[in-house]
Amino acid sequence: MLNTRFVTGTPVWVDMCAPDLGDVRGFYQELFGWELQQGGEEFGGYSQYRLGGRTAAGAMAIPAEDAPPSWTVYFRTPDVDGTVKAAEQAGGGTLYEAVDVGDLGRMAGITDSAGVPFSVWQQGQLKGLDVVNEPGSLVWTELYTPDVPQAVAFYGSVFGWGTSESSFPGGSYTMVHPADGTEDDMFGGVVPLASDPSEAGAGAYWLPYFQVEDCDEAVAKARRSGGTVRMEPISMAGVGRFAKLADPAGARFAVLQPSPPGEPMEA
């Protein structure tokens, strides 16, 4: 699972955009206990969701005509400009050019070889999120893509990711870990887009998972707060109970109630 060592190639940040953050502020406060901390003009009003005084995610108000409401995953790199070049050489593209964010760090927006957007972050004073892998914070990431081998090859070329296969009834699940990591450092999965009816019609993308203490309760809260349940809760041995949601603006994400430590995965 995730941790805050933030080695090269791992998720270090996640943020969402919506036309009006006020429309989703209460939703995320009810669901995760997040408090929205409004950003200053020096960073274009970029805001943060805080959990007990720690940054759990970022947020930005962006007009719908400029970008659809969505969540974006950021991966760590020691060299943003070099990573952009590597992505282009591997068949990806550039959403926005590399830019310095004051003395906090340097970032760029990239699309992979299937056109899926993500961002990269080069650490300055800001290392990454303050909290992961606990209730109310990022716990997993998942790439829905039309071609798993192509995606694995792309991200392997750009970040050096390693992979592992986990079998389950009816198929297998491809998991990824950083170049210098092991299977204990898995932070995400790669899923064939056509295999999931809840995703097939929406297009390829990166899906962030946030940890919750009770998946069913989280789903009920999301419904009450104006969200959409895209996939009802299901359980998987060794993984936990999870569901797919969208906030009132339409940004897609998932929630996960992890299995107790030591529970074996389904074979």
Side-chain angles (χ1 to χ4, degrees):
M1 290 293 186
L2 297 177
N3 58 62
T4 54
R5 290 191 297 115
F6 296 143
V7 299
T8 295
T10 59
V12 296
W13 194 263
V14 64
D15 63 15
M16 58 82 62
C17 67
D20 186 344
L21 296 183
D23 292 342
V24 297
R25 180 175 190 162
F27 174 84
Y28 287 111
Q29 184 171 14
E30 170 68 13
L31 188 60
F32 298 132
W34 290 351
E35 296 289 342
L36 184 64
Q37 179 178 299
Q38 298 285 352
E41 291 302 318
E42 67 272 25
F43 297 116
Y46 189 87
S47 303
Q48 296 183 11
Y49 287 114
R50 306 278 285 176
L51 178 67
R54 299 172 294 171
T55 300
M60 185 72 177
I62 299 179
E65 58 268 24
D66 293 340
S70 59
W71 279 94
T72 298
V73 179
Y74 292 65
F75 299 97
R76 186 188 186 280
T77 174
D79 178 4
V80 161
D81 300 86
T83 299
V84 170
K85 290 180 182 177
E88 292 173 343
Q89 291 171 355
T94 303
L95 279 175
Y96 57 87
E97 299 293 336
V99 61
D100 290 320
V101 185
D103 57 2
L104 298 178
R106 186 167 173 80
M107 63 185 287
I110 297 174
T111 56
D112 68 17
S113 53
V116 177
F118 63 97
S119 292
V120 289
W121 180 256
Q122 179 179 331
Q123 175 184 335
Q125 288 192 356
L126 178 65
K127 182 180 178 182
L129 297 171
D130 294 329
V131 54
V132 298
N133 203 26
E134 63 180 71
S137 68
L138 186 67
V139 67
W140 190 249
T141 60
E142 210 163 55
L143 173 64
Y144 285 85
T145 180
D147 190 326
V148 170
Q150 181 187 70
V152 168
F154 172 85
Y155 289 98
S157 175
V158 174
F159 294 117
W161 288 354
T163 63
S164 177
E165 296 293 321
S166 176
S167 298
F168 62 89
S172 64
Y173 184 67
T174 300
M175 296 182 289
V176 293
H177 62 76
D180 61 350
T182 68
E183 293 184 9
D184 293 333
D185 299 310
M186 297 292 180
F187 58 78
V190 185
V191 183
L193 184 62
S195 70
D196 191 329
S198 69
E199 305 294 356
Y205 77 118
W206 275 101
L207 175 69
Y209 280 70
F210 298 98
Q211 186 170 326
V212 293
E213 294 181 341
D214 186 318
C215 182
D216 294 86
E217 181 181 354
V219 167
K221 286 181 179 179
R223 279 198 170 100
R224 290 197 302 267
S225 302
T228 301
V229 180
R230 301 173 49 244
M231 186 187 78
E232 295 287 347
I234 62 173
S235 297
M236 183 175 291
V239 176
R241 190 161 175 80
F242 55 95
K244 294 179 181 178
L245 309 172
D247 68 24
R252 296 173 290 174
F253 65 99
V255 291
L256 170 65
Q257 175 187 342
S259 293
E263 180 179 286
M265 294 185 68
E266 292 183 349

